[in-house]
Amino acid sequence: MSLGSDLGPKPPLGYTASTLQRAAERRSDAQYLAALEADRAARAYAIGGERVVLKKTAGGLDPLFTPGEARALARSTETVFLGLVEGLGRFGVGLDSAATEALKARHDLHISDLRSIAIQGLTDADHLAAIAEAKALLHWHARHRFCANCGEATYLVQGGWRRDCPACRAEHFPRTDPVVIMLAVSGDRCLLGRQSRFAPGMWSCLAGFLEPGESIEQAVRRETQEEAGILCGRISYFASQPWPFPMSLMIGCHAEALSSEITVDYSELEDARWFAREEVASMLMRRHPQGLTTPPPVAIAHHIIRAWIECHGQAPV
Ligand SMILES: [Zn+2]
C-alpha cells in the first residue's frame, strides 16, 4: 500500500481559521469599544462555562446574538471584545453556567459545547476560532476576579484583555497554558497512548503541561519518559493549536525515540504501545479491522500522526 496518497485531502486544523481581526490597538479606547458594542450590527457569542448558546433559525443553528440579546439570556458576567469582522464589533458575553444549562428548556435555543459544535459541524467553521477565543478569555475572567498579589477584587479593562487591581495597582493579563503533544517515532512505528476518558478504541499522542523553567524539547522528553518510559532524542516542532479546554495552547511535535521498552504510568494512561505505520494509517482512515481509531481532524493529534504517515519512511524529526 502506498501510504500517504490514500489519505485524501488534508482537513483543516480545528480552532485556527479565525476571520477576526483582533484590533488589539483599539482595546484601550473605551469610547470606541462602547460605540462598537452599541452598533446595531454588533454581534456576540453567549457562553456559560463549557456551554455555548445557539439560536435555532430556518437556516440552521446561529451562534450570534446582539450583545444585548446575549446578556438578556441569563444572568451575565463579563462582556469581552474579541475583534472586528468586516469592521463590525464581535464580542463574547459570559453567562452564569447553571442558568445556561437551564436554557435547554427553551425550544428556540440549542445549548451545546464547543467540542460537539466543532466535531458535528453545528455552525459555520469560521465561528470556531472566535468561540474558542471567547471561551478561553471568559474562563480566565471567571477564575481571576481577585488580585493574585493582594487579594482585592479586580476589574476588567482593555475590552477584557486585562484586569487591574485598585489596591496594589497590579495588572493581570489573560493566560494561556502551554501543553506539549508529541508523537515519538522509531523507524516504522510510533508510540500511542490511551487515557481512560477516551472513546473506546481511540489511541492518541502523549501530552502534558510544560513546567516552569522548561523548554518545549525538555517537556517532550520528560513527558514521554514519565508516561511511557521511552527516552527521546531529537525533537521537531510541527504546529500549534489553541485548545480552549479550558485555556491551553497545544504545541505539536515529533520526537525521535531512543529506547523501545515501554513502562506505562497507569496514573496518567490506561495503556501505551507501539503501532506500525500501516496500522496507524488504517486507524486514521477509520478502516481498522478491530475499529481502533485516532482523534478526529479537529484535534492536532490527528495532524501530527498524519504528517508522520505521509513522510514515507522519513521520520519527521
Ligand atoms: Zn492587588
Side-chain angles (χ1 to χ4, degrees):
M1 175 163 67
S2 162
L3 293 172
S5 55
D6 302 315
L7 297 180
K10 212 168 273 186
L13 175 58
Y15 316 120
T16 56
S18 184
T19 51
L20 277 175
Q21 284 181 300
R22 292 196 176 214
E25 71 283 0
R26 307 305 300 268
R27 291 173 187 163
S28 56
D29 188 342
Q31 236 176 344
Y32 169 76
L33 294 185
L36 265 187
E37 199 184 318
D39 190 310
R40 285 172 51 197
R43 292 292 180 271
Y45 300 102
I47 297 172
E50 289 302 309
R51 298 169 187 84
V52 182
V53 185
L54 305 171
K55 202 188 293 180
K56 289 180 185 167
T57 72
L61 295 171
D62 182 4
L64 294 176
F65 298 82
T66 68
E69 277 174 350
R71 283 189 289 263
L73 288 167
R75 193 175 70 79
S76 65
T77 55
E78 285 81 9
T79 296
V80 295
F81 171 58
L82 303 176
L84 301 172
V85 177
E86 295 172 355
L88 299 170
R90 188 64 58 89
F91 296 86
V93 170
L95 300 176
D96 176 78
S97 185
T100 310
E101 177 70 18
L103 292 174
K104 284 183 174 173
R106 277 181 55 170
H107 297 296
D108 57 333
L109 301 174
H110 180 79
I111 312 301
S112 191
D113 63 275
L114 182 53
R115 275 193 187 87
S116 302
I117 292 170
I119 291 171
Q120 297 167 24
L122 298 185
T123 68
D124 289 345
D126 59 359
H127 290 299
L128 297 178
I131 297 174
E133 179 187 341
K135 180 180 180 300
L137 187 54
L138 289 165
H139 175 87
W140 176 77
H141 283 285
R143 298 297 179 95
H144 293 81
R145 302 206 190 285
F146 296 91
C147 179
N149 188 43
C150 76
E152 186 67 39
T154 55
Y155 58 94
L156 176 155
V157 292
Q158 299 268 330
W161 292 92
R162 204 174 83 199
R163 294 187 76 93
D164 286 359
C165 175
C168 75
R169 297 182 174 272
E171 298 174 345
H172 302 281
F173 293 89
R175 49 176 301 171
T176 296
D177 299 326
V179 172
V180 286
I181 176 164
M182 54 275 171
L183 187 69
V185 302
S186 173
D188 222 29
R189 58 186 193 159
C190 72
L191 177 68
L192 297 177
R194 256 193 68 73
Q195 294 181 22
S196 51
R197 63 178 178 82
F198 285 3
M202 194 182 88
W203 292 74
S204 186
C205 298
L206 304 187
F209 286 103
L210 261 90
E211 294 184 345
E214 200 171 42
S215 69
I216 291 171
E217 292 85 344
Q218 287 167 334
V220 167
R221 294 189 190 104
R222 176 183 54 74
E223 283 287 344
T224 308
Q225 189 174 4
E226 280 178 9
E227 293 190 359
I230 296 298
L231 301 174
C232 290
R234 282 183 301 157
I235 312 294
S236 69
Y237 170 76
F238 170 66
S240 67
Q241 177 187 34
W243 192 249
F245 306 103
M247 46 184 196
S248 288
L249 174 73
M250 306 300 272
I251 303 168
C253 295
H254 293 99
E256 173 197 30
L258 299 177
S259 65
S260 59
E261 193 177 332
I262 295 172
T263 307
V264 178
D265 174 0
Y266 290 106
S267 67
E268 294 272 347
L269 296 178
E270 186 180 274
D271 203 1
R273 70 171 175 91
W274 293 104
F275 286 81
R277 185 187 300 263
E278 302 254 340
E279 184 174 15
V280 180
S282 70
M283 291 160 73
L284 197 82
M285 291 184 282
R286 301 290 191 264
R287 289 184 199 153
H288 190 277
Q290 278 85 50
L292 301 187
T293 60
T294 51
V298 70
I300 193 171
H302 179 98
H303 300 263
I304 297 170
I305 294 167
R306 179 177 172 134
W308 172 68
I309 291 171
E310 287 180 327
C311 71
H312 299 285
Q314 295 293 311
V317 292

